[in-house]
Amino acid sequence: MLGTVCLAGEAEPRRMRLDLTARADAVLLPHRTTQARLTGRVRVTGWADDADAEGELEISPMARRRIRYRLDFTADGRRYRLDGWKSVSPRRPLKSMTVLPFSLNEVKEVNEVKEVKEAKEANEVKEAKELGEVNEANEMKEVHESGEPAQTPSGADDGRNAGEGILRFPLATGLVPFLTGFRFPRRDDADEHLAPRWDGTPGRTEVWYTTATDPVTGTGLWLHHELTAPTDGQPAFAHGWVALFPAEGPVEHARFGPEPWRPNGTGFAACEVEAGPGRLRGSAGPFRWDLAEQPCSEPLFTFPRWSWRRPVLPAAQIVPSPRSAFTGTVVHSGGELRLDGAVGATARVYGHGNARRWGWLHADLGGGDVLEVVAAVSTRPGLRGLPPLVFLRLRKDGRTWPRGALRSAVGRAGLGRFRARLGLPSWTVTGRAGLRRIRIEVTQPPERTLALDYADPDGSPAVCRNSETADARIVLERWWGHWRSEAQWALDGTAHAEVGER
């Protein structure tokens, strides 16, 4: 919504914009009252730009004839609350549902706590000065760090009104995104996607892999568990590896297996190694690990949902937990790595084997946002000569973009496909869908990249070059008459990436 606000004590109004997402636990019914949670961004020219605004929305167009907004945000270091409602009128339905008059008020309790803290810090500095415990230079530094209470508009003190304004929903530019923005999300259980998919068919590969970054040391962790069913009908076998990518020093790794596959109903269990719901444990060479995994987000389908349930494509990937917290220990030849809430992810792959060439990226962008990219060239005749197909899923502010999982790979009637240029030490992905476009550059420094060879079900050799301490630069732009930056992320040593080939 766009509009203006006149702050208390100011003669001229300021331009204002709200970009909000509403989430409700129940389906919206017009004749009932529905409560929803609001999150988003508040911008007031020269005064506020808070991307972490939150509040509540009451949707009651018929029962109470109103749509009420209550939104808390930060401006000049203080908390304010936007309170307003659209009074729905059957005589003017369009205007009454698109115009939002509102008032701004201080959130008195929050600001009083802040002021008490600032006053306490200032008093401690004053006492220290009187006692002569600090010299003049340090006194000035402490006073500067304690700061003065933030300036607020005149009339906004003591919880009083801080301003009033009007916002309008822009039908010309906002109606289509609004209508296409409705979602009816499914509730998927991450645990159910960890159960083995293999049904005994020869020529199949199934993978469970986990990656994480220790926030204390910057060390990256990679656990790879794989089931291979040879194409010639030989018994299926299990194998895998563990690798540590320290911020400084060489990469360490060790393999486990191969040994005959033993069916397990919950996950991977072979070679004295387990990978299942909430737990990862095992040993390989000098490595021993025991980790608890706490999923923090809903599963992310990098490929179409149906491709995971029905193996029509050569292979499919899913991330049962795109954002997890890992706690536990990893013992290695150089000592012991202790993880306490380390951020990472667990993903799955099932199919006929590896692609001819591929690239993979998992980027935790913070704040619950994640990016998953798989770019691959198929081994099938007629497809192996095509550029890499890009499957890209960006989960930002609770929404996944592009909306369709195939959009980035096939475009619309073959036009508008995302493009990937695979190589080392750097590779890129670019693309546009709807009103957004994205540019990604991934760098895998040679000293932080591990090359491992293994075989596909048909016996063909494959090599993957993986780095759990890769760098990534991501730029997301949106079209508003011209391209404007919507978000930028720079990951230094915390991106998880891989390039491979057969």
Side-chain angles (χ1 to χ4, degrees):
M1 287 185 285
L2 306 174
T4 59
V5 59
C6 188
L7 300 177
E10 295 187 357
E12 296 297 325
R14 298 175 185 248
R15 296 175 62 186
M16 184 173 185
R17 173 173 178 155
L18 297 186
D19 293 286
L20 303 176
T21 297
R23 295 182 178 85
D25 294 328
V27 177
L28 174 62
L29 298 174
H31 64 286
R32 295 184 179 178
T33 298
T34 303
Q35 300 291 337
R37 299 176 298 279
L38 285 176
T39 57
R41 185 176 182 182
V42 176
R43 282 176 278 188
V44 179
T45 303
W47 187 60
D49 188 354
D50 185 2
D52 298 315
E54 57 184 5
E56 57 188 28
L57 176 65
E58 178 191 287
I59 309 170
S60 186
M62 296 178 65
R64 297 182 179 178
R65 292 191 177 182
R66 72 180 187 185
I67 303 175
R68 184 173 186 177
Y69 294 73
R70 301 185 70 189
L71 188 69
D72 292 354
F73 65 97
T74 300
D76 277 350
R78 301 175 74 84
R79 295 292 286 176
Y80 292 88
R81 176 168 297 157
L82 180 152
D83 191 353
W85 60 82
K86 302 171 183 176
S87 299
V88 180
S89 169
R91 291 185 297 175
R92 294 192 231 173
L94 187 61
K95 181 177 180 180
S96 64
M97 294 189 69
T98 58
V99 178
L100 175 65
F102 67 89
S103 62
L104 287 181
N105 297 280
E106 264 198 303
V107 183
K108 184 177 179 181
E109 295 80 2
V110 175
N111 291 333
E112 283 182 346
V113 170
K114 182 176 182 292
E115 289 171 355
V116 169
K117 182 179 179 180
E118 290 175 342
K120 182 178 179 181
E121 292 175 349
N123 187 54
E124 290 175 351
V125 173
K126 181 179 179 181
E127 291 178 354
K129 290 172 65 178
E130 293 175 350
L131 294 174
E133 294 178 354
V134 293
N135 59 37
E136 184 176 354
N138 286 336
E139 291 166 7
M140 294 179 65
K141 180 180 178 182
E142 290 185 14
V143 172
H144 176 71
E145 290 178 346
S146 67
E148 295 297 327
Q151 297 298 315
T152 63
S154 176
D157 298 327
D158 302 323
R160 290 180 296 176
N161 182 271
E164 295 181 348
I166 295 179
L167 292 164
R168 292 177 173 84
F169 180 78
L171 287 173
T173 59
L175 182 59
V176 173
F178 173 75
L179 294 177
T180 59
F182 280 91
R183 300 288 187 275
F184 298 91
R186 303 181 187 181
R187 298 297 180 183
D188 284 296
D189 182 6
D191 294 350
E192 70 176 87
H193 297 300
L194 294 175
R197 294 288 314 281
W198 186 56
D199 58 3
T201 305
R204 297 292 186 270
T205 292
E206 187 164 3
V207 180
W208 296 254
Y209 66 93
T210 295
T211 60
T213 300
D214 176 28
V216 178
T217 64
T219 300
L221 170 67
W222 181 24
L223 294 170
H224 181 100
H225 318 80
E226 183 167 331
L227 156 66
T228 301
T231 305
D232 60 8
Q234 294 293 317
F237 60 90
H239 70 109
W241 51 81
V242 55
L244 283 181
F245 298 74
E248 301 291 341
V251 179
E252 302 178 51
H253 80 283
R255 295 179 183 260
F256 53 85
E259 74 172 36
W261 169 255
R262 297 189 301 273
N264 179 281
T266 58
F268 180 96
C271 315
E272 299 184 352
V273 174
E274 297 179 22
R279 181 65 64 179
L280 298 156
R281 59 165 67 95
S283 62
F287 287 85
R288 297 193 312 277
W289 64 94
D290 189 352
L291 301 172
E293 178 182 6
Q294 179 61 51
C296 303
S297 59
E298 294 286 324
L300 183 64
F301 289 84
T302 316
F303 287 61
R305 186 185 296 263
W306 54 261
S307 70
W308 181 252
R309 303 186 185 281
R310 296 184 293 276
V312 178
L313 300 179
Q317 189 243 29
I318 179 180
V319 193
S321 179
R323 197 170 195 276
S324 288
F326 294 90
T327 301
T329 59
V330 180
V331 178
H332 55 104
S333 60
E336 181 180 81
L337 175 67
R338 291 184 174 273
L339 302 180
D340 185 7
V343 175
T346 292
R348 302 268 280 111
V349 176
Y350 181 70
H352 295 259
N354 290 289
R356 186 178 182 87
R357 290 187 297 127
W358 72 90
W360 163 78
L361 170 68
H362 176 82
D364 189 289
L365 307 176
D369 298 343
V370 295
L371 173 66
E372 192 80 11
V373 178
V374 175
V377 177
S378 175
T379 60
R380 293 187 176 181
L383 298 177
R384 65 183 63 174
L386 296 176
L389 296 180
V390 178
F391 295 86
L392 182 149
R393 310 297 279 158
L394 171 64
R395 181 172 288 173
K396 179 178 179 292
D397 300 329
R399 292 188 176 185
T400 302
W401 175 85
R403 185 173 181 180
L406 282 174
R407 174 63 181 84
S408 59
V410 301
R412 297 192 183 278
L415 300 176
R417 295 191 304 108
F418 285 32
R419 300 184 180 277
R421 296 181 179 274
L422 301 179
L424 286 174
S426 296
W427 52 281
T428 61
V429 173
T430 58
R432 172 185 175 180
L435 298 177
R436 287 186 172 92
R437 69 180 184 183
I438 194 168
R439 299 196 309 273
I440 305 167
E441 181 177 357
V442 182
T443 302
Q444 299 179 218
E447 68 277 9
R448 290 188 262 146
T449 298
L450 173 65
L452 291 174
D453 61 311
Y454 51 107
D456 270 347
D458 62 1
S460 300
V463 178
C464 66
R465 295 172 175 84
N466 181 287
S467 175
E468 300 305 320
T469 52
D471 305 326
R473 298 292 182 270
I474 304 161
V475 178
L476 180 67
E477 296 178 312
R478 188 178 180 92
W479 177 261
W480 292 104
H482 62 277
W483 289 110
R484 299 181 185 177
S485 176
E486 180 177 344
Q488 297 187 35
W489 297 275
L491 284 72
D492 295 314
T494 60
H496 306 162
E498 180 177 293
V499 172
E501 61 185 356
R502 289 176 56 153

